[in-house]
Amino acid sequence: MGKAFKLLVIFGVLMVTGCAGPRITGSAIPQNVLDAKPDIISIDDDETRQGFQQAVEGWLASNGLIYTVAPENSLHDPDKLTIEYEGVWRWDMALYLSRAHLEAFYKGQRVSKVSFVAPNSLNTNKWGKGEERIHLMMDVLFGKKSSSDATNDL
């Protein structure tokens, strides 16, 4: 009985850790900031794959938002809504977006942060398309979806 119990416990732990799926957390930019319709600047992160910036730009354009792109280390204009991001890809039999975050700044303050994490587990859902995950993060950032709805859409 002792050996069977140990195997059952090990199997249970593997199942729990192996089933941890990707998730999106965070909060939207406050509505009063969005209502002010500030100009949007997206800061291009040199260390993140270029596809991340392209996904951010694609989402902004498809939602009719006018934006400019500024290079990394650009100074923030406090009267503009500035979006910064970081994305990390990992390899596990295929390349996948492992973790990422988007931050929005306005009037010198961070007004929103949205994070994504795909644990390196046995859950095969971690290999989803990075662009779709970034778009879901942008949906949360701009208040089009809650983080729980975005996570359910992964």
Side-chain angles (χ1 to χ4, degrees), residues 17-140:
T17 59
C19 293
R23 69 185 175 282
I24 294 174
T25 58
S27 59
I29 297 167
Q31 191 60 46
N32 64 322
V33 174
L34 295 174
D35 289 344
K37 298 188 186 324
D39 292 339
I40 299 172
I41 298 176
S42 178
I43 305 293
D44 189 5
D45 182 47
D46 292 338
E47 295 178 16
T48 298
R49 295 172 59 91
Q50 192 58 38
F52 202 108
Q53 176 64 34
Q54 292 166 349
V56 168
E57 289 184 47
W59 188 94
L60 291 168
S62 69
N63 283 274
L65 298 171
I66 298 169
Y67 65 92
T68 57
V69 177
E72 189 171 31
N73 298 322
S74 296
L75 294 176
H76 287 207
D77 181 336
D79 294 323
K80 295 182 180 180
L81 181 64
T82 303
I83 298 171
E84 291 188 352
Y85 61 85
E86 179 182 21
V88 177
W89 273 259
R90 296 273 188 245
W91 177 262
D92 184 5
M93 299 193 314
L95 195 61
Y96 69 99
L97 182 60
S98 173
R99 60 185 164 83
H101 70 264
L102 289 163
E103 294 179 292
F105 298 88
Y106 185 64
K107 300 288 186 189
Q109 301 292 319
R110 183 173 71 189
V111 294
S112 177
K113 181 175 182 178
V114 176
S115 298
F116 167 82
V117 63
N120 188 8
S121 64
L122 300 175
N123 189 313
T124 58
N125 198 21
K126 67 183 171 190
W127 290 299
K129 292 185 177 182
E131 180 180 25
E132 291 172 5
R133 290 161 183 227
I134 295 162
H135 285 182
L136 287 169
M137 291 175 68
M138 292 291 288
D139 284 343
V140 173

